[in-house]
Amino acid sequence: MGLFSKPIKTLDDLFIHTLQDIYYAENQIIHNLPTMIEKAENPELRTAFQNHLRETEVQVKRLEQVFQMHGQPVKSVQCAAMDGILSEAREIISDCDDAHVRDAALLSAAQAVEHYEMTRYGTLIAFARQLKREDYARLLQQTLDEEKAADQKLTSIGESRINRLAA
Ligand code: ZN
Ligand code: FE
Ligand code: FE
Ligand code: FE
């Protein structure tokens, strides 16, 4: 258990904890995407990041809605996994001298972010259904669909351009 975190006793507690975790993660993504947009050389990659930044702002609002519906304060718990993914990304990106190779690194870092999010939203949806909250599940599914679409967009940009230019 973390130093200041509450013990997790029930599935409901675990649901709330996971909500707080992804709330932290989404906010860190909002914090880091502007730098990734700046560093991206390829216009398609840049546009994909810009679009996903706007989507992420809506995703944060959706999470706030779920907190509210569940009678919980909007709260974050530090997500060591997202911190790790983002710090690894910053490190590798700053080590890239070539802009094309840097784009490939940015793209691969962004896909690691999307995959973390996909696991968390998938879990939250399963927990919501178990807790008989189809209303939460529907909201969270909208975000999961956006994360999957963002990931697929990145895959197609990588396969069609970025990886070839980096090679
Ligand atoms: Zn996100
Ligand atoms: Fe997200
Ligand atoms: Fe986490
Ligand atoms: Fe995302």
Side-chain angles (χ1 to χ4, degrees), residues 22-165:
I22 194 68
Y23 189 69
Y24 175 93
E26 293 286 20
N27 279 296
Q28 287 307 112
I29 292 162
I30 287 179
H31 194 74
N32 282 268
L33 263 175
T35 312
M36 294 175 71
I37 291 166
E38 242 172 72
K39 300 222 160 146
E41 177 95 353
N42 181 277
E44 267 186 280
L45 184 62
R46 200 177 252 262
T47 302
F49 285 165
Q50 277 163 341
N51 290 341
H52 201 52
L53 176 55
R54 281 193 293 274
E55 270 175 345
T56 304
E57 283 159 0
V58 178
Q59 294 173 354
V60 163
K61 294 271 183 303
R62 263 185 219 124
L63 289 171
E64 289 168 357
Q65 226 178 312
V66 177
F67 276 115
Q68 199 174 21
M69 289 159 83
H70 205 52
Q72 286 294 314
V74 174
K75 209 189 126 194
S76 296
V77 287
Q78 190 177 5
C79 171
M82 187 53 69
D83 283 347
I85 289 171
L86 291 170
S87 82
E88 190 180 69
R90 279 191 297 270
E91 197 180 305
I92 189 151
I93 288 155
S94 76
D95 286 346
C96 287
D97 293 327
D98 181 89
H100 295 311
V101 175
R102 189 181 311 114
D103 277 354
L106 283 161
L107 187 143
S108 106
Q111 284 197 288
V113 167
E114 295 316 313
H115 280 246
Y116 178 77
E117 294 184 289
M118 280 154 56
T119 69
R120 283 296 176 254
Y121 283 105
T123 295
L124 279 167
I125 290 164
F127 288 171
R129 296 227 158 93
Q130 187 60 45
L131 298 168
K132 305 273 182 268
R133 293 305 306 245
E134 192 55 42
D135 52 344
Y136 304 171
R138 263 197 308 275
L139 271 173
L140 296 163
Q141 184 67 51
Q142 289 177 38
T143 297
L144 178 56
D145 291 343
E146 290 170 359
E147 310 297 18
K148 283 183 182 166
D151 179 56
Q152 278 161 14
K153 179 76 195 167
L154 291 168
T155 296
S156 81
I157 298 173
E159 286 172 351
S160 66
R161 304 206 150 275
I162 304 282
N163 294 346
R164 187 166 43 80
L165 288 168

